[in-house]
Amino acid sequence: MRLKTIEQHILDQQRRFPGVSGDFSGLLYDIALAAKLVSKEVNRAGLGDLLGTMGEVNVQGEIVQKMDKYANELFIRILTAGGKVCAIATEENENITEIHEDGFIGKYAINMDPLDGSSNMDVNVSVGTIFSLHRKRSAGPRGSEEDCLQAGSKQACAGYVIYGSSTMLVYTTGLGVHGFTLDPAVGEFILSHPNMMMPSQCRMYSVNEGNAAFWDAGTRAYVESLKAVDPPTGRPYAARYIGSLVSDFHRNLLKGGIFLYPADCKDPHKPSGKLRLLFEAAPMAFIAEQAGGAATTGSERVLDIVPAKLHQRVPLIVGPKDEVSRYQAMTRARG
Ligand code: AHG
Ligand code: MN
Ligand code: MN
C-alpha cells in the first residue's frame, strides 16, 4: 500500500467528490493538529503537573480533570483560529462558543467531547477525543445553537482520536470509515486502516455490569443470554469493559463486539443513561453505521433523534447489526 498521510487522503477525497470543499479539508486538518498536541500532552501526563483534578465541577456535575480543561481550551483555540467553524459545542461548556465577527466564520458547527474517559488517565488507560460536524443551517451571519442541535443523520463528518499505545484518528464523511495512525517521529497521521468494517460476528460485550440492578428486565435478560454457550463457537461471549467509550468502541469496531450504556431506570441521576447524544452517541452511531453496524437507544435509531438540548443524554447500544437487532427484540419483548 502506498504511504498516504491524512492530508493526502483528504485531498484525494476532495478530488473524487467535488461536493467536499477546501473548508472541510482545512477543518479536518485543524482537528488533526489539535489531536497531535493533545496526544503529546497525554503521553507525558504522568510527568507534569497535569494529572489530578482541578477542584472544579463541570456542567455534568463531574470533577473536571486538568487534561479535560487543557484539551477543551486547545481544541477551541485551534478551531476558532482556523476560521472553518461557526459554532463549537463541547461537553465541558454549558453553552456553545460562537465565533465572533472579528474572526472568520466558517460553514460548519462542531460538537465534541475533547477528552473522553479522562477519569482513566490517572491509571494510564487510553483516552480519546470525539468530534461531529454539521453544516451551518441558521440564517444569521453567525453560528448559533441551532447549528449544533441537528439530528445525527445530518452529520457531515464524525470521528474520534484514540490516545492509545499508538495514537489513531478514525473518521467518516459517509464514504466509509478510515483510520490513520500517528507516526510520532514525523508528526503525521498515516492511513493504516482504509475502509474499516465492523466484523458481523459478535464475540464480546462491553457494559458496566455493576449497574445491572438499575436496568430494565429486557436488558438484564439480554446480557444474561450472552453468558450462555453460543452454539457456533461453543463459548459464551467475552466480557470486555474499559470504561472509556472511545477505547471500548475502537476495540469492538476492530474485533466485533457490542457496547451498551443502557438507561438506569432506577437511578434518578441517570434516567437516560450516561452518554451524551451530541458529543458521544451520535458520532459513534454514524461511524458504526458506516462500518456496517448499528446503534440504537433500544427504541430508536440514534441517528434519528432530533436533539432538544446540548447536553442531552441517551441510552446507547452500538455494535454489529444482527446483535443490536437481537438486543432490540429482547428488550421489546420484555420491556
Ligand atoms: P467522559 O470522560 O467524557 O465524561 O466520558 C466517560 C464516559 C465514557 O467514556 C464511558 O463509556 C463511560 O463514561 C463509563 O461510565 P461508567 O464509569 O459509569 O461505566
Ligand atoms: Mn465522554
Ligand atoms: Mn469528556
Side-chain angles (χ1 to χ4, degrees):
M1 190 170 67
R2 187 168 74 82
L3 215 63
K4 196 182 266 191
T5 65
I6 195 164
E7 218 183 340
Q8 289 162 340
H9 179 83
I10 297 165
L11 289 172
D12 279 1
Q13 289 222 327
Q14 209 173 300
R15 269 194 289 273
R16 279 172 55 210
F17 303 97
V20 179
S21 73
D23 268 17
F24 175 76
S25 313
L27 176 48
L28 215 51
Y29 190 74
D30 289 344
I31 294 171
L33 171 65
K36 284 186 238 178
L37 294 168
V38 171
S39 177
K40 191 183 84 167
E41 289 307 322
V42 166
N43 285 338
R44 58 181 287 282
L47 296 170
D49 184 31
L50 287 163
L51 289 183
T53 64
M54 293 290 287
E56 296 169 22
V57 171
N58 72 1
V59 288
Q60 305 297 331
E62 295 154 354
I63 302 295
V64 178
Q65 300 287 319
K66 285 187 180 180
M67 276 301 296
D68 278 317
K69 197 172 157 70
Y70 172 81
N72 189 44
E73 286 170 2
L74 183 80
F75 271 102
I76 291 176
R77 193 146 41 92
I78 289 183
L79 291 167
T80 306
K84 306 290 189 293
V85 293
C86 60
I88 306 170
T90 86
E91 186 194 77
E92 296 302 323
N93 295 347
E94 189 164 2
N95 299 310
I96 63 160
T97 302
E98 284 178 25
I99 310 303
H100 290 288
E101 272 129 24
D102 51 347
F104 291 102
I105 297 170
K107 15 179 185 198
Y108 292 97
I110 183 162
N111 297 329
M112 64 186 314
D113 179 353
L115 207 61
D116 170 72
S118 52
S119 60
N120 287 321
M121 275 202 59
D122 289 349
V123 290
N124 217 344
V125 166
S126 301
V127 294
T129 293
I130 308 172
F131 59 92
S132 155
L133 306 181
H134 283 282
R135 289 179 192 87
K136 181 179 185 307
R137 66 163 182 191
S138 60
R142 312 227 321 238
S144 76
E145 202 176 90
E146 185 192 339
D147 299 310
C148 298
L149 289 178
Q150 300 190 52
S153 56
K154 300 257 179 342
Q155 287 171 102
C157 172
Y160 61 82
V161 184
I162 177 166
Y163 309 104
S165 37
S166 53
T167 294
M168 267 191 82
L169 189 152
V170 173
Y171 85 99
T172 183
T173 55
L175 302 166
V177 179
H178 308 286
F180 301 79
T181 302
L182 179 65
D183 181 340
V186 290
E188 290 280 10
F189 278 106
I190 310 286
L191 181 63
S192 52
H193 296 63
N195 299 309
M196 298 169 84
M197 292 299 286
M198 188 180 278
S200 54
Q201 279 277 26
C202 190
R203 291 275 158 260
M204 51 185 99
Y205 70 101
S206 322
V207 67
N208 184 343
E209 218 168 333
N211 292 332
F214 293 153
W215 301 338
D216 57 87
T219 302
R220 284 206 302 271
Y222 168 76
V223 172
E224 275 314 303
S225 78
L226 303 177
K227 300 175 199 171
V229 171
D230 183 22
T233 58
R235 309 255 336 136
Y237 285 35
R240 294 284 184 275
Y241 190 68
I242 297 168
S244 242
L245 173 63
V246 169
S247 310
D248 281 310
F249 181 92
H250 186 68
R251 184 203 49 245
N252 291 350
L253 174 62
L254 292 174
K255 305 260 186 199
I258 184 164
F259 174 93
L260 305 96
Y261 211 113
D264 285 4
C265 45
K266 293 182 197 143
D267 181 346
H269 301 296
K270 292 194 257 175
S272 310
K274 178 177 182 186
L275 301 175
R276 297 79 167 171
L277 173 61
L278 292 178
F279 312 125
E280 293 164 322
M284 292 317 207
F286 187 23
I287 298 166
E289 286 199 4
Q290 281 294 311
T296 180
T297 62
S299 56
E300 211 178 350
R301 177 180 173 236
V302 170
L303 293 184
D304 285 339
I305 306 171
V306 180
K309 51 181 188 174
L310 287 179
H311 294 276
Q312 186 170 336
R313 295 175 196 255
V314 288
L316 174 66
I317 292 85
V318 57
K321 220 185 250 171
D322 290 351
E323 196 61 40
V324 171
S325 301
R326 210 164 72 74
Y327 171 83
Q328 276 173 304
M330 281 187 79
T331 46
R332 238 180 253 132
R334 288 169 192 254

